[in-house]
Structures are given as structure tokens and as C-alpha cells.
């Protein structure tokens, strides 16, 4: 009697597992039946992205892009950014603040944005985009540098990191306006200087002593990644990282079993403590 009940249970579990696999397979193939869409010069928009006008089952709704006046638009928390390039090999999309104009050094981003606006310090974060904070994921490949805009009540000549934005940017008539490329360390913040704006760039090497070069780097935009989703799809039950030299995702079962072992240990400890 007990045996047949066990067997029924086992069969039912097996059935559920099979159905799950089947369902996963169907939904995975569905995505790939959608023809790529295009908007302006972004011509091969495909999974996980979708355009608002695409059929419902295409792409992932969390990665829905807009197409406004022939410009592909990405939303970060409903703030608009213009898409410059999508790279499906390294899972990155390069975007730029819509207010930045290439040949106008007075144009500035509308909003401050930095790495800390992205929550990928947490491996299991459900944010759609990552900016490369989690060191476990081999993130160094993502270049994400900050440009800090400051306004000072005095001229700062002695600190070489402070680049005068000259005629391009003036915050108010009395102040001295500067930009600093790269992260601003606490010891670099001069007394009487206030942070006005922080904006990211992924331009790899630029002259950090020239405001024209800093502005060009800003107008190039910054890369964010959907690697967490790519990893979930590629190795659903394992830890995963990106090998930038082979440009592939690598599943790491040892880290996964390590995780299970840890969970069991935590559970056992809980049992022992509560008894
Ligand atoms: C949109 O952009 C594409 C590619 O750059 C171009 O061929 C097309 O003429 C543009 N359409 C409009 C309405 O501007
Ligand atoms: C350059 O940008 C500034 C600041 O956004 C703006 O006021 C100005 O009109 C722009 N100049 C041109 C030529 O577009
Ligand atoms: C990023 O975070 C800063 C500080 O919390 C906030 O002022 C800013 O508006 C955020 N940026 C966006 C685009 O949400
Ligand atoms: C999204 O909104 C949250 C809550 O306001 C904010 O903390 C975060 O910095 C925003 N992230 C981005 C990428 O704009
Ligand atoms: C991704 O590929 C693009 C195009 O080759 C490249 O410009 C970008 O730097 C790469 N990004 C990363 C993080 O490897
Ligand atoms: C600039 O501001 C700082 C701090 O508010 C103050 O100590 C300093 O005297 C001011 N310098 C000038 C030249 O106004
Ligand atoms: C990354 O890929 C390269 C080339 O295939 C390989 O030699 C290297 O060992 C890989 N690195 C890691 C950490 O997997």
C-alpha cells in the first residue's frame, strides 16, 4: 500500500518535471521564431529585447524598447535613454542620455546616474540591467567610469584632476566649474566645491585633462548588461560568469553545489539550534 503511494508520488513528480522541461522548451523556441525588428539605425532588435509594436510573445516585456521619431529608446525606471548599439555577443547595450549632443559641449545629461543606481551588488537581483558591480561575475570587462561635475567657490589649480569646463559649462556666475574624469576619491573633494552632476561613460581611454575629450566620452554613452538574464537562461541551476576572452558564458557547477551544501549546512544549523 505504502509502496504504491510512493510510486504514484514519484510518477507525479516525474510528470511535473517533464512538463516543466517541455514548457521551457516551447517558450524558448517561441522567442526565436520572432523575426528581428528595427528602429532607426538599430536594425537587429531581438530577444531579450522587443519593440512596443512587436507581437506579444516576442522578447521579454522587461526589455521593451520604444521607437520614437526613428530613435530607439530604452527605459531605466521609466527614464528615457537613447540606444546607440546592442551587442548580443557580450550581452551589452550602449545608451546615452537624450540631452547629450555630440557637437555641443554645453549639453549635459538631464539626470545624475552612477553605478550605485544599479543593484547588482546582489547576485540574485531581479533588475533587468547590470552595471558591473558583482565581482563574482567577472565584471571587470564592463567599462563604466564616472564623470563628476563640480562647482567651486574658488579656482582649483593645484589639483590636476580638476578640468575646467571653461565656456562650455557654467553653473552660476560666481562659481568655477570643473569636471573630473574617473572616480572622485574623498581626498580629491576640495573644500568649497559641490557636486552638481554624476554621469557614466564606457569610452575606454580618453584624455582626462581635456574637457572636449570628457564631453566626447559622455556623448559616446555607457554600457549596461543583461548578463543576469543570459546566465539564468544559459545555466538555470548553476553559477555562471562571462569569459571575456572567449566571449562565452561559462557555467560553474561547483559553485552551484557549493551553494546547495551551504543551504544544507544553514538548515542543519537551524535544526540543531532549535532542538
Ligand atoms: C529611419 O532611419 C532609417 C535608417 O537610418 C532610414 O532609412 C529611414 O529613412 C528613417 N525614417 C525616417 C522617417 O526618418
Ligand atoms: C547646446 O546645449 C545647450 C545646453 O543644453 C543649449 O542651451 C544650446 O541651445 C545648445 N546649442 C545648440 C547649438 O544646439
Ligand atoms: C540615481 O540615484 C540618485 C541618488 O539616489 C538619484 O538622485 C538619481 O535621480 C538616480 N537616477 C535615476 C536615473 O534614477
Ligand atoms: C530606480 O529607482 C530606484 C527607486 O527610486 C532608485 O533607487 C534607483 O537608483 C533607480 N535606478 C535607475 C537605474 O535609475
Ligand atoms: C561589447 O562589444 C562591443 C562591440 O564589439 C564593444 O564595443 C564593447 O566594448 C564590448 N563590451 C564589453 C563589455 O566587452
Ligand atoms: C568657500 O567655501 C568654503 C566652505 O563653505 C569656505 O570655508 C571658504 O572660505 C570659501 N572660499 C571663498 C574664496 O569664498
Ligand atoms: C577563458 O577562455 C580562454 C580562451 O578560450 C581560456 O583560455 C581561459 O582559460 C578561459 N578562462 C576562464 C577563467 O574560464
Amino acid at each position: 500500500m505504502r509502496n504504491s503511494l510512493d510510486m504514484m508520488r514519484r510518477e507525479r513528480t516525474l510528470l511535473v518535471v517533464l512538463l516543466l522541461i517541455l514548457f521551457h522548451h516551447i517558450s524558448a523556441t517561441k522567442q526565436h521564431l520572432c523575426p528581428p525588428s528595427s528602429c532607426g539605425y538599430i536594425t537587429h532588435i531581438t530577444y531579450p529585447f522587443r519593440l512596443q509594436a512587436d507581437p506579444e510573445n516576442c522578447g521579454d516585456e522587461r526589455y521593451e524598447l520604444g521607437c520614437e521619431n526613428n530613435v530607439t529608446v530604452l527605459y531605466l525606471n521609466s527614464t528615457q535613454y537613447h540606444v546607440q548599439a546592442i551587442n548580443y555577443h557580450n550581452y551589452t547595450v550602449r545608451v546615452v542620455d537624450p540631452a547629450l549632443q555630440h557637437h555641443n559641449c554645453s549639453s549635459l545629461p538631464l539626470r545624475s546616474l552612477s553605478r550605485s543606481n544599479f543593484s547588482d551588488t546582489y547576485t540574485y537581483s531581479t533588475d533587468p540591467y547590470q552595471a558591473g558591480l558583482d565581482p563574482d561575475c567577472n565584471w571587470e570587462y564592463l567599462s563604466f567610469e564616472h564623470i563628476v561635475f563640480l562647482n567651486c567657490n574658488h579656482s582649483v589649480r593645484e589639483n590636476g584632476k580638476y578640468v575646467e569646463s571653461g565656456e562650455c559649462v557654467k553653473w552660476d556666475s560666481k562659481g568655477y566649474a570643473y569636471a573630473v574624469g574617473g572616480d572622485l576619491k574623498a581626498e580629491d573633494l576640495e573644500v568649497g566645491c559641490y557636486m552638481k552632476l554624476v554621469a557614466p561613460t564606457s569610452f575606454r581611454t580618453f584624455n582626462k585633462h581635456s574637457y572636449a575629450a570628457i564631453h566626447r566620452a559622455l556623448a559616446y554613452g555607457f554600457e549596461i548588461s543583461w548578463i543576469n538574464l543570459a546566465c539564468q537562461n544559459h545555466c538555470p541551476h548553476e553559477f555562471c560568469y562571462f569569459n571575456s576572452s572567449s566571449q562565452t558564458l561559462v557555467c560553474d557547477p561547483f559553485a552551484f553545489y557549493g551553494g546547495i551544501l551551504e543551504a544544507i549546512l544553514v538548515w542543519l544549523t537551524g535544526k540543531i539550534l532549535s532542538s
Side-chain angles (χ1 to χ4, degrees):
M1 186 64 199
R2 205 184 149 74
N3 263 341
S4 72
L5 205 66
D6 265 357
M7 217 149 91
M8 256 167 70
R9 272 206 198 115
R10 219 174 294 151
E11 273 168 12
R12 208 159 48 194
T13 316
L14 195 66
L15 190 69
V16 168
V17 168
L18 281 176
L19 280 177
L20 276 177
I21 290 171
L22 197 67
F23 179 75
H24 188 87
H25 190 72
I26 289 172
S27 57
T29 45
K30 234 181 178 178
Q31 291 152 1
H32 298 292
L33 290 178
C34 291
S37 327
S38 83
C39 170
Y41 61 85
I42 306 295
T43 50
H44 196 88
I45 297 172
T46 180
Y47 182 86
F49 295 101
R50 53 170 277 115
L51 282 183
Q52 271 155 2
D54 284 346
E56 236 174 80
N57 60 356
C58 296
D60 183 322
E61 60 182 12
R62 292 178 302 152
Y63 297 86
E64 185 164 276
L65 304 174
C67 184
E68 293 180 19
N69 304 320
N70 226 9
V71 173
T72 310
V73 172
L74 181 147
Y75 304 90
L76 283 179
N77 267 354
S78 62
T79 304
Q80 284 196 1
Y81 289 87
H82 288 177
V83 176
Q84 305 295 100
I86 302 179
N87 190 297
Y88 296 93
H89 299 292
N90 59 26
Y91 312 97
T92 61
V93 50
R94 178 158 53 89
V95 297
V96 69
D97 188 287
L100 278 166
Q101 300 169 301
H102 269 278
H103 299 292
N104 179 355
C105 75
S106 300
S107 65
L108 288 172
L110 292 172
R111 294 254 239 149
S112 266
L113 187 73
S114 72
R115 236 178 188 161
S116 56
N117 288 84
F118 297 86
S119 59
D120 46 336
T121 24
Y122 321 109
T123 309
Y124 300 104
S125 138
T126 52
D127 272 10
Y129 299 105
Q130 290 82 49
L133 269 177
D134 190 344
D136 288 346
C137 290
N138 183 26
W139 270 116
E140 302 89 64
Y141 88 98
L142 202 66
S143 153
F144 198 96
E145 267 198 281
H146 296 123
I147 309 291
V148 183
F149 287 88
L150 299 148
N151 199 36
C152 304
N153 67 356
H154 61 286
S155 150
V156 182
R157 287 256 161 71
E158 59 281 11
N159 191 330
K161 289 187 183 167
Y162 281 58
V163 178
E164 282 180 42
S165 45
E167 290 308 305
C168 294
V169 182
K170 286 236 177 330
W171 298 103
D172 65 51
S173 51
K174 298 182 306 247
Y176 296 79
Y178 296 96
V180 175
D183 286 324
L184 189 72
K185 300 204 180 77
E187 71 248 32
D188 286 327
L189 189 60
E190 305 279 338
V191 175
C193 293
Y194 297 93
M195 226 190 274
K196 304 294 279 184
L197 189 65
V198 181
T201 174
S202 295
F203 199 86
R204 276 168 205 274
T205 47
F206 59 95
N207 180 354
K208 295 201 175 79
H209 303 289
S210 140
Y211 187 70
I214 289 178
H215 186 269
R216 269 197 301 278
L218 278 181
Y220 174 79
F222 58 96
E223 286 173 357
I224 48 181
S225 171
W226 66 92
I227 194 133
N228 276 5
L229 176 78
C231 273
Q232 275 162 30
N233 291 344
H234 188 68
C235 5
H237 307 298
E238 288 160 89
F239 183 80
C240 146
Y241 64 90
F242 185 71
N243 180 332
S244 48
S245 63
S246 63
Q247 295 273 297
T248 52
L249 289 176
V250 183
C251 302
D252 186 350
F254 294 111
F256 173 67
Y257 290 123
I260 289 187
L261 204 65
E262 196 180 305
I264 291 173
L265 280 178
V266 167
W267 176 79
L268 270 179
T269 315
K271 277 269 170 204
I272 292 165
L273 285 179
S274 67
S275 66

